[in-house]
Amino acid sequence: MKWLQRQPASVGSDPRLCDFIQPALNHLMQEGDGDILPIPFEFGRLSSESPTVLQLQMSSLSDYKWTPPRSFTVVRYPLKARRITQFTPVDSILLEALIFANGVRIESSRRPLKEKTVFSNRFQGGNGPLLYTETLWNGFAQRGMELASSNEFALKLDIADFYNSIPHAYLKTCLLATGVSQNHLKCLMNALNVSSHGALVGIPVGPHFSHLLAELCLADLDNTLTKEHITFTRFNDDIHIFASTVAEIDRANSVASRYMLGILGLSVNRAKQDLTTGAAYLDEATARHTPRSAEERSLSTHREQNFPIYHSRPTNQDLSVGRRHFKTLDVAKVITPYLSSVSSDEDLAYVFRLLRSRGVPNGIGFVVDHLDRLFPVITEAISYIETVAQTQAQVTKKQLRELFAFYESPVIIGSPFLQMMILRVIGKVADLPNLNKFVEGMSYLTAGGRRELLTIACERQTLGGWVSVQRNSKGWMETWEQSALDRF
């Protein structure tokens, strides 16, 4: 393939990994190791001086033994299943430290943000808790509207199964071209080999570190479109192209599709390909979700310019602001219009993402009361509860019984991911006597569920009898469960 002809940059010396362990931990404690799964409790119990982390720093990177990550099938609205991956906490620390150590090199190979072409996952780094700058989705949307207003036609392209289709060899070539050291490169590629079960393609969906690697793989596509004088803007694998004539659109489409297939081995998702006029693009962009209540309008007017509505979990600061600004907000008045009228599940999913991102604290009880009506958006609903649940006083005894019964429902039994999420919710809101009684009477428990119970036991210093049973039978435990038990 043509990309094999790329010449590597002069390989840099190894950045001192120990200098990036603490920034990695800061980020993992603040935003977790992904957008959806609960944050592992280990991040709050580890530091750069912990024996486990010190041993990690002394390991030979090129020979580091990765633990196979766990994965879950997550169904989010619209009904689309995707497989998300989560590495063990110690492995996540190493992966994030590697990205912090090499992020500047990788970011410098991308189109400058000031060009207003590429908006997604811009590396920030430093010693703060953020790996990337605040999400620039709104900037991407605004730029698209600007370009649509000055062009007759717009073409939306989407890469089919993007993360899962990225060739490892191409990513390796790109990393070499940025000057990543051999030790760091081998360590990263070994991790990808383990997560893909030996396949030669695919980077894990879910972890934050994956985003910058995926962006690196599209850097030359961005360069090609720019050199061909094609007007475009991109966010992740969403590529929007603008032109004055259909002939120009056809040429741009040919350049982009040929590059993706011939150079990257990727293909355009034809089902999502959409050619429209600039005016129609503008109409669609400006006709986005309209609030249905004064309470929802209040949520919307508090949004900052680049409010991370579309994918990111709220930070601790976001949750603190949410508790302060929205402590009197009536969540029932936000959600009820979507339950009592004919509305798309897409709108309701948006509302739950909005509530979650804003950290609105007092809607847990209402959502629990209506779980049976929320199946189409159940992942969004439970993700909201899991994120904002802080105190056991937020649900009544009746609502707690409803949560216990919901755990036994077919929708939860059929999804290890939802089981894990609902257990995390129960662990946050249940009083200790009822929590212990609930655990004693469980009819089923997956490996992921067992680990969540260990997490609950550790965080709340309870479930002593249950933990003792696990200690005595730990020989059958999976690595994830054992790592949690070892932290007691």
Side-chain angles (χ1 to χ4, degrees):
M1 282 188 179
K2 183 178 177 182
W3 49 260
L4 287 173
Q5 300 172 11
R6 289 189 63 180
Q7 295 299 313
S10 57
V11 176
S13 59
D14 285 355
R16 283 164 41 92
L17 194 67
C18 59
D19 294 336
F20 300 95
I21 292 292
Q22 193 58 54
L25 267 171
N26 291 341
H27 176 250
L28 290 166
M29 285 188 287
Q30 177 84 347
E31 295 191 10
D33 51 359
D35 297 328
I36 302 176
L37 296 175
I39 299 175
F41 72 93
E42 287 93 335
F43 297 141
R45 298 191 127 199
L46 294 170
S47 73
S48 57
E49 301 301 319
S50 300
T52 301
V53 178
L54 289 172
Q55 182 179 3
L56 179 68
Q57 296 179 55
M58 293 185 292
S59 301
S60 171
L61 289 181
S62 59
D63 298 323
Y64 182 79
K65 302 299 182 184
W66 296 96
T67 299
R70 63 176 181 172
S71 60
F72 298 91
T73 297
V74 177
V75 178
R76 307 194 74 180
Y77 190 87
L79 293 179
K80 179 180 178 181
R82 62 169 173 160
R83 198 75 174 165
I84 60 174
T85 296
Q86 189 176 38
F87 284 82
T88 63
V90 173
D91 285 0
S92 291
I93 294 171
L94 177 54
L95 283 163
E96 293 241 350
L98 287 167
I99 294 300
F100 270 98
N102 295 282
V104 172
R105 283 192 176 105
I106 295 173
E107 181 66 25
S108 65
S109 70
R110 305 174 63 194
R111 304 303 306 180
L113 182 58
K114 64 182 180 181
E115 289 186 359
K116 296 184 179 181
T117 52
V118 181
F119 289 87
S120 43
N121 300 303
R122 307 303 309 215
F123 178 76
Q124 176 169 307
N127 292 318
L130 297 180
L131 184 59
Y132 304 108
T133 57
E134 191 175 8
T135 181
L136 300 172
W137 172 262
N138 283 6
F140 166 69
Q142 182 63 39
R143 181 58 174 165
M145 288 189 285
E146 291 173 1
L147 294 174
S149 65
S150 57
N151 286 276
E152 289 295 322
F153 297 96
L155 175 67
K156 296 180 181 180
L157 299 179
D158 178 88
I159 301 175
D161 204 19
F162 176 38
Y163 276 39
N164 292 323
S165 302
I166 292 174
H168 289 179
Y170 181 71
L171 174 58
K172 182 177 180 179
T173 301
C174 292
L175 288 168
L176 278 172
T178 67
V180 173
S181 72
Q182 290 289 348
N183 278 338
H184 287 191
L185 178 64
K186 185 174 181 181
C187 192
L188 277 170
M189 299 312 298
N190 286 344
L192 298 182
N193 183 62
V194 170
S195 67
S196 64
H197 306 288
L200 300 178
V201 297
I203 62 176
V205 175
H208 292 298
F209 79 87
S210 291
H211 303 326
L212 195 60
L213 300 181
E215 290 294 330
L216 177 62
C217 289
L218 293 182
D220 269 358
L221 171 61
D222 300 329
N223 291 337
T224 298
L225 295 177
T226 302
K227 291 174 184 176
E228 292 286 339
H229 304 290
I230 293 170
T231 301
F232 78 101
T233 185
R234 181 176 69 77
F235 196 97
N236 293 341
D237 59 344
D238 291 319
I239 306 166
H240 294 183
I241 294 172
F242 303 87
S244 298
T245 67
V246 172
E248 291 177 275
I249 287 286
D250 285 342
R251 183 182 77 87
N253 188 15
S254 177
V255 169
S257 300
R258 187 169 60 247
Y259 188 95
M260 282 189 283
L261 185 60
I263 308 301
L264 294 173
L266 305 174
S267 59
V268 172
N269 186 342
R270 299 301 178 188
K272 292 186 176 181
Q273 185 172 341
D274 182 26
L275 174 61
T276 186
T277 64
Y281 183 104
L282 275 173
D283 288 343
E284 182 180 352
T286 55
R288 288 175 180 164
H289 183 86
T290 302
R292 299 194 180 187
S293 64
E295 289 75 15
E296 188 180 344
R297 279 193 295 275
S298 173
L299 283 172
S300 300
T301 56
H302 278 84
R303 287 189 303 176
E304 289 88 8
Q305 179 180 0
N306 287 312
F307 181 62
I309 182 61
Y310 93 104
H311 75 90
S312 184
R313 72 161 62 244
T315 64
N316 293 334
Q317 181 179 357
D318 295 329
L319 294 173
S320 177
V321 171
R323 288 193 295 271
R324 187 167 64 252
H325 282 308
F326 303 112
K327 61 183 178 181
T328 61
L329 184 79
D330 190 341
V331 174
K333 291 183 178 179
V334 176
I335 298 176
T336 298
Y338 297 91
L339 298 178
S340 58
S341 62
V342 177
S343 61
S344 72
D345 293 326
E346 181 179 3
D347 288 337
L348 188 53
Y350 173 91
V351 168
F352 275 117
R353 290 195 294 270
L354 178 61
L355 291 168
R356 179 182 187 237
S357 297
R358 295 306 281 152
V360 178
N362 55 350
I364 295 177
F366 182 82
V367 176
V368 171
D369 284 338
H370 295 84
L371 281 173
D372 59 331
R373 301 174 65 183
L374 297 172
F375 285 159
V377 293
I378 196 63
T379 296
E380 284 78 12
I382 295 179
S383 293
Y384 160 65
I385 298 176
E386 188 275 328
T387 298
V388 303
Q390 298 294 332
T391 67
Q392 64 187 44
Q394 289 183 306
V395 295
T396 65
K397 290 183 179 179
K398 176 178 177 294
Q399 290 164 345
L400 187 59
R401 289 194 297 271
E402 290 173 353
L403 278 174
F404 292 161
F406 190 65
Y407 175 83
E408 302 288 349
S409 66
V411 69
I412 300 299
I413 291 175
S415 171
F417 164 73
L418 289 178
Q419 180 198 145
M420 179 182 64
M421 294 291 284
I422 202 69
L423 283 177
R424 177 60 68 96
V425 169
I426 289 171
K428 286 185 175 183
V429 303
D431 60 281
L432 296 185
N434 276 306
L435 177 62
N436 279 278
K437 185 177 179 181
F438 165 71
V439 172
E440 290 173 3
M442 278 184 168
S443 61
Y444 79 103
L445 195 63
T446 64
R450 280 192 296 270
R451 190 179 196 283
E452 285 311 308
L453 288 187
L454 288 169
T455 295
I456 294 164
C458 181
E459 291 177 341
R460 300 188 64 182
Q461 297 299 301
T462 188
L463 303 178
W466 184 83
V467 171
S468 295
V469 172
Q470 311 313 306
R471 288 192 188 280
N472 294 331
S473 57
K474 64 181 181 181
W476 50 264
M477 281 190 170
E478 295 183 1
T479 302
W480 266 88
E481 300 168 82
Q482 185 61 55
S483 67
L485 191 60
D486 290 343
R487 293 290 159 202
F488 277 86

